[in-house]
Amino acid sequence: MYEWILPSLSEILAQNQSSVAECSPGKAERQWRVSLAATEHLLLNTLASDSVDTTQGLVLAAPAPLFSQPKLTQSLETVTFTAKPFNPLALMPFQMPDAIAPIDEEIAPHESVLPLLPADPLGAEQFCLVFTDKFRLVLVLATHKNGKKTFSFSFEPEVVQQAWRSLGARVMLANPEFFARLDVLVQQYSPVAPDCRIMIQFSQLLLQELTEAEETKEWAIGTGEEAGEQAAGGRGYKKYNNSQFAIPNAQCPMPHAQSPNPDVELLQAFAHEVRTPLTTIRTMTRLLLKRRDLDTSVINRLKIIDHECTEQIDRMELLFKAAELETTASTKSSKTQLTPMSLDQVLQQSIPRWEQAAHRRNLTLNVVLPQQLPTVVSNPMMLDQVLTGLIENFTRSLPSGSHIQVQVIPAGDQLKLQLSPQFGCKDSGKAATAPTPPIRKALGQLLMFQPETGTISLNIAATKHLFQAIGGKLIVRQRPHYGEVLTIFLPLEVSNKHKSGAKA
């Protein structure tokens, strides 16, 4: 029978991802809820507001409709899969087609309900497939026989397509006519890699939902069990507590049962899902750049795409590494492979990128280096990424027209790299004053959000942890008239320490 042949959606995602960890039911359900909330906001932001009466997308969900916003119910066609109200006549579509009624008149006009066989493994999964002109997305919450649950999601076009094939095969067996109409609708939304801006927007929404959920739970702890029940219908949960999709209080466990870092695994999964399509886009872009029949303007645009993809891939790698470090027992055990390296070679590759980052934000950057750079002990690949990420974030915190001074000088048995801003002043008779520091809001334990620019980046604690992992140290100081000054210390190679001592 087909329920033993067709894979479930969780199996499809597990086959296409490096790892999907089983966790407690409460933790997986929390990841599912915040991801659904982020998806709902992403749909509201990306669907055309002037075409509410036009179908702009398709949502396949189980075990009940997931979105209740009027704009979404009017703009999206929804198909719900459920094993509860199972119609046995659905097994005989050729004998009694009129008995199979996927469209329920009591449901919204754009909603359909399809049955699943009782033994179908999809009956143990909650899922959501989204098809629009802007992106395709699949989210799955699976319950396993051992009581554990797993949550996973993917923007990868091929993964979403495989999920649709699995669902489509079930629809075709139950109702071929409805499958034909549904398949035409799915094909309207071509399986292209999503725009990186969609991925970044989803990450911002996802982390905002995580923060709101944390705040809701903290409030519930302070007000007792009764408040905890109220919180289930408050911020972070209220959008799901309706007649169509009610979440019982048992699915909203108190925080003491959660992992100490519940957002780490979700951040790792997101970083992986962003890197995958961006790497594909960059690979295709570089293949196009090898062609000799391209116009100069096309080549320039392809180079911009390549640069943006590389920049975001590097950012995602840093986020992934920072999350990985949070799972280790101690800083010592989380250190990467360190080796003597030429800082001069790293800086020659990095400085042009730093200058580009400053130029894009109308900033100037000056790097002061000693005549001879000593050999330091670090991780060459990670040092480049961490320094570039730090300077990228530093430039985002400064107003247009500012100047950044980067100075590298020996400091005993260490090498000191210091970033300090310099602010211009129209009145030369007065000392320049540093502008008001940017507003930064915490997003979980690893990230911070800058509302003025919409930027999400690693927070100071996570950045310091990264520097510790590569053998260095980061110090952040707020100085009057100078603003925020960042100082990085890197250990010198032993032979260089002796040379420094001899010169002294």
Side-chain angles (χ1 to χ4, degrees), residues 19-75:
S19 62
V20 179
E22 292 185 352
C23 57
S24 66
K27 183 176 181 180
E29 287 162 2
R30 177 173 177 269
Q31 294 172 349
W32 162 258
R33 286 194 297 269
V34 297
S35 297
L36 278 181
T39 302
E40 183 176 61
H41 285 300
L42 184 63
L43 286 167
L44 290 170
N45 293 344
T46 55
L47 295 182
S49 57
D50 55 349
S51 304
V52 177
D53 296 330
T54 305
T55 300
Q56 300 182 55
L58 170 68
V59 175
L60 310 179
L66 302 175
F67 307 124
S68 59
Q69 290 282 348
K71 178 181 176 180
L72 299 185
T73 56
Q74 295 172 18
S75 302

Side-chain angles (χ1 to χ4, degrees), residues 161-367:
Q161 187 68 12
Q162 289 179 31
W164 158 240
R165 291 193 200 107
S166 180
L167 278 178
R170 290 168 163 89
V171 179
M172 185 168 60
L173 288 169
N175 193 331
E177 293 181 2
F178 186 67
F179 167 77
R181 184 172 76 84
L182 195 59
D183 189 52
V184 170
L185 188 58
V186 170
Q187 300 312 318
Q188 291 179 7
Y189 308 103
S190 56
V192 297
D195 190 309
C196 62
R197 289 172 294 185
I198 293 288
M199 313 291 284
I200 294 171
Q201 188 177 165
F202 182 75
S203 70
Q204 295 172 345
L205 293 168
L206 187 66
L207 293 166
Q208 287 173 7
E209 290 295 331
L210 276 170
T211 303
E212 289 189 1
E214 285 294 334
E215 291 174 353
T216 301
K217 286 192 235 176
E218 289 174 3
W219 174 77
I221 291 175
T223 51
E225 183 178 355
E226 182 180 354
E229 295 176 358
Q230 295 173 356
R235 183 174 56 181
Y237 301 98
K238 64 181 178 183
K239 62 191 69 178
Y240 308 117
N241 280 347
N242 50 56
S243 58
Q244 294 178 323
F245 185 43
I247 302 177
N249 290 335
Q251 290 185 316
C252 303
M254 294 300 286
H256 64 262
Q258 299 287 339
S259 167
N261 298 320
D263 55 339
V264 169
E265 289 182 5
L266 195 57
L267 178 58
Q268 286 179 316
F270 174 75
H272 171 76
E273 289 302 325
V274 172
R275 283 186 302 174
T276 302
L278 287 180
T279 302
T280 303
I281 294 171
R282 184 174 64 177
T283 300
M284 298 301 294
T285 301
R286 291 179 176 178
L287 288 174
L288 287 173
L289 284 170
K290 292 181 179 180
R291 295 179 55 174
R292 298 181 179 180
D293 58 343
L294 298 178
D295 185 76
T296 304
S297 61
V298 175
I299 293 175
N300 291 336
R301 289 172 183 172
L302 288 174
K303 287 182 177 178
I304 293 173
I305 294 173
D306 180 85
H307 171 78
E308 291 295 331
C309 287
T310 300
E311 186 175 287
Q312 296 305 323
I313 289 170
D314 289 344
R315 288 186 70 231
M316 291 302 108
E317 286 182 356
L318 277 182
L319 294 182
F320 189 88
K321 185 61 181 178
E324 187 179 53
L325 291 175
E326 287 298 315
T327 63
T328 58
S330 65
T331 302
K332 182 177 180 180
S333 63
S334 65
K335 281 191 177 182
T336 60
Q337 185 66 38
L338 306 182
T339 181
M341 53 171 286
S342 169
L343 187 62
D344 183 41
Q345 185 176 1
V346 173
L347 293 179
Q348 284 181 5
Q349 297 174 353
S350 302
I351 290 175
R353 294 200 298 271
W354 301 353
E355 291 174 340
Q356 288 179 4
H359 180 72
R360 286 200 301 268
R361 294 172 178 82
N362 194 28
L363 308 172
T364 57
L365 182 140
N366 181 41
V367 181

Side-chain angles (χ1 to χ4, degrees), residues 459-474:
N459 59 29
I460 296 298
T463 305
K464 287 183 175 181
H465 202 174
L466 278 175
F467 274 104
Q468 290 172 355
I470 59 176
K473 182 178 182 181
L474 170 66

